Amino acid sequence: MADSSFDIVSKVDRQEADNALNQARKEVEQRYDFKGTDASIAWSGESILIKANSEERAQAVLDVFQTKLIKRGISLKSLESGEPVASGREYRIVSTLKEGISQENAKKIGKLIRDEGPKSVKSQIQGDELRVQSKSRDDLQEVIRLLKAADLDVDLQFLNYR
């Protein structure tokens, strides 16, 4: 019998992120507490640029965006935000959406699977994702449970389960 396998990846649905950003932008434009603060949120290439006339307002726009991401099913682990930076009269926050599993995180996940997972399971790093294989599908499901319970700083999805 052939080995069963699945892939561990970290991807963000760009369309859902775009929808969350548009909802946040509309809310910022309409909310009374943002009137007159020149608060805005928009794509700037691959990153997200938040502007406001005070540090607190910029942080509030970021909170609105994070709320919209959560409602859209995107984990905040995939959002990397900087600190508010003064730029002339306005404050800016640059945020990016992280995709892919870094080499060090892939090694951490592989070590976790080796140390705490079932012995029949093998994992290998393939670029920015991991392939996990085993003869037993029950062992693979055990690995998925183990990784969901682990507190990793990466948002993981499990694909191609076969």
Side-chain angles (χ1 to χ4, degrees):
M1 189 175 120
D3 283 0
S4 298
S5 69
F6 68 89
D7 295 332
I8 303 171
V9 298
S10 179
K11 294 193 184 323
V12 175
D13 184 353
R14 182 69 186 220
Q15 186 63 49
E16 288 295 331
D18 195 42
N19 290 342
L21 186 128
N22 287 331
Q23 286 179 338
R25 183 179 45 76
K26 284 180 184 173
E27 183 171 326
V28 167
E29 288 171 357
Q30 293 174 350
R31 269 184 35 185
Y32 178 76
D33 57 338
F34 286 118
K35 294 281 186 238
T37 61
D38 298 328
S40 68
I41 180 170
W43 287 106
S44 173
E46 285 297 306
S47 58
I48 298 152
L49 182 63
I50 297 171
K51 298 181 195 174
N53 65 359
S54 75
E55 198 171 329
E56 294 79 24
R57 285 288 135 227
Q59 209 59 50
V61 173
L62 180 61
D63 288 345
V64 169
F65 181 54
Q66 288 174 339
T67 304
K68 299 302 180 188
L69 285 175
I70 291 169
K71 284 184 179 174
R72 290 253 168 219
I74 298 174
S75 172
L76 292 183
K77 290 179 182 178
S78 56
L79 180 70
E80 200 170 85
S81 297
E83 292 298 313
V85 177
S87 171
R89 290 186 184 175
E90 65 186 12
Y91 284 84
R92 295 174 176 216
I93 299 176
V94 177
S95 301
T96 56
L97 294 170
K98 294 188 293 187
E99 289 201 34
I101 301 172
S102 68
Q103 283 294 327
E104 74 179 53
N105 282 328
K107 288 177 183 173
K108 278 185 202 172
I109 293 168
K111 183 171 175 15
L112 184 70
I113 292 171
R114 273 194 314 278
D115 293 348
E116 298 180 28
K119 296 300 171 208
S120 68
V121 176
K122 296 188 233 27
S123 68
Q124 67 188 82
I125 300 171
Q126 296 180 334
D128 62 349
E129 58 186 52
L130 263 83
R131 163 90 25 104
V132 180
Q133 294 176 316
S134 175
K135 295 220 182 289
S136 164
R137 286 183 165 226
D138 292 339
D139 288 350
L140 291 179
Q141 289 181 341
E142 183 61 36
V143 168
I144 291 175
R145 270 194 296 282
L146 172 75
L147 292 174
K148 283 184 177 179
D151 186 30
L152 300 166
D153 57 347
V154 181
D155 179 36
L156 300 177
Q157 292 91 32
F158 307 100
L159 304 175
N160 301 331
Y161 184 77
R162 52 178 168 255

